[in-house]
């Protein structure tokens, strides 16, 4: 087969090369059109390559903070079959984001409960402290069983006389939900009350990855609650007048 015949492979009875010769008699015109066609095909192939292998857009945390968002009430851990005590929700209130109060009808002094394994921002850490308290109150109201049930830790009281406990509002694990929704950080003191340590650490990491609550990248909590308390105590001591005996 001649070189000319090799070029004139037919498409629908007519070769592409023959059509170009017929439509464009000038040699320079033929070269120009062929160059355009080749360039177009190359650009098409390159464009398809870059489209297929375009790198994905980076993940972005939401910059919106919903102060009154409904609590995430996904199941987190199996509810204990036995509790140390339960109380009607009508007697329960919140002092801050990690402390509950239960009215005692027979005693003027309420029972104070410090939620174990977590540390919520203090009320002075605005706006995070108030948000944590509101969230805790929303969890109490979400109970469909109308009572708070708590399981005390192996160390039942702290140095302030508060009951140390893990608490459930109906089927909702309060300590864990505060962490999962970005209204507290994990806190473990000693080795006695670490029953849910692995779970709590995982929930805190999840909240940080989602950028919710105190982990909001555009407005994060910049000081740990424990550090804030220490700083306030030192400032209070520095401002307090010394007594005559120097104490």
């Amino acid at each position: 087969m001649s070189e000319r015949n090799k070029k004139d492979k037919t498409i629908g009875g007519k070769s592409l090369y023959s059509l170009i010769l017929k439509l464009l008699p000038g040699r320079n015109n033929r070269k120009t059109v062929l160059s355009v066609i080749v360039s177009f095909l190359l650009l098409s192939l390159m464009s398809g390559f870059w489209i297929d292998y375009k790198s994905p857009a980076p993940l972005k945390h939401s910059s919106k903070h919903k102060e009154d968002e409904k609590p995430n009430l996904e199941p987190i851990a199996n509810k204990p079959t036995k509790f140390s005590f339960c109380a009607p929700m009508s007697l329960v209130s919140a002092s801050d984001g990690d402390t509950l109060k239960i009215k005692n009808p027979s005693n003027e002094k309420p029972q104070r409960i410090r939620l174990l394994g977590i540390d919520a921002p203090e009320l002075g850490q605005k706006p995070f402290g108030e948000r944590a308290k509101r969230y805790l109150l929303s969890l109490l109201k979400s109970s469909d069983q109308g009572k708070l049930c708590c399981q005390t830790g192996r160390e039942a009281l702290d140095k302030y006389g508060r009951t140390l406990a893990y608490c459930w509002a109906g089927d909702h694990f309060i300590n864990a939900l505060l962490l999962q929704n970005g209204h507290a950080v994990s806190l473990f003191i000693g080795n006695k009350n670490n029953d849910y340590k692995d779970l709590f650490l995982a929930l805190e990491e999840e909240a940080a990855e989602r950028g919710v609550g105190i982990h909001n990248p555009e407005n994060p909590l910049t000081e740990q609650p424990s550090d804030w308390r220490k700083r306030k105590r030192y400032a209070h001591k520095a401002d307090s007048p010394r007594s005559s005996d120097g104490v």
Side-chain angles (χ1 to χ4, degrees), residues 9 18 49 51 59 63 72 97 103 121 124 146 149 195 208 234 242:
K9 291 183 179 178
S18 298
F49 175 85
I51 290 172
L59 294 174
S63 60
N72 181 356
K103 294 180 182 178
C149 290
D195 296 4
Y234 293 149
R242 293 180 178 273

Side-chain angles (χ1 to χ4, degrees), residues 15-138:
S15 72
L16 179 61
Y17 187 77
S18 298
L19 287 174
I20 293 173
L21 289 177
K22 185 176 181 180
L23 293 173
L24 301 168
R27 178 176 294 181
N28 291 335
N29 288 340
R30 293 173 197 161
K31 289 183 178 180
T32 301
V33 172
L34 286 172
S35 298
V36 171
I37 292 173
V38 171
S39 299
F40 175 79
L41 291 174
L42 288 173
L43 286 172
S44 298
L45 290 172
M46 291 176 68
S47 298
F49 175 85
W50 289 114
I51 290 172
D52 289 342
Y53 290 91
K54 185 179 179 181
S55 59
L59 294 174
K60 294 183 179 179
H61 291 301
S62 173
S63 60
K64 297 181 180 179
H65 180 84
K66 300 178 181 179
E67 292 188 23
D68 299 320
E69 67 180 1
K70 293 183 179 179
N72 181 356
L73 301 178
E74 293 295 324
I76 293 175
N78 292 330
K79 185 178 177 180
T81 56
K82 293 182 180 181
F83 289 100
S84 304
F85 60 88
C86 292
M89 281 298 182
S90 58
L91 300 178
V92 181
S93 61
S95 301
D96 54 29
D98 55 28
T99 307
L100 297 169
K101 288 192 298 186
I102 300 178
K103 294 180 182 178
N104 188 343
S106 61
N107 192 332
E108 293 183 359
K109 190 175 182 180
Q111 179 184 8
R112 293 189 301 160
I113 302 170
R114 177 62 167 82
L115 297 173
L116 272 172
I118 69 171
D119 196 13
E122 299 296 331
L123 295 178
Q125 292 182 275
K126 298 179 181 180
F128 306 103
E130 285 291 344
R131 287 176 181 169
K133 181 179 179 180
R134 284 201 303 271
Y135 187 83
L136 177 55
L137 289 171
S138 73

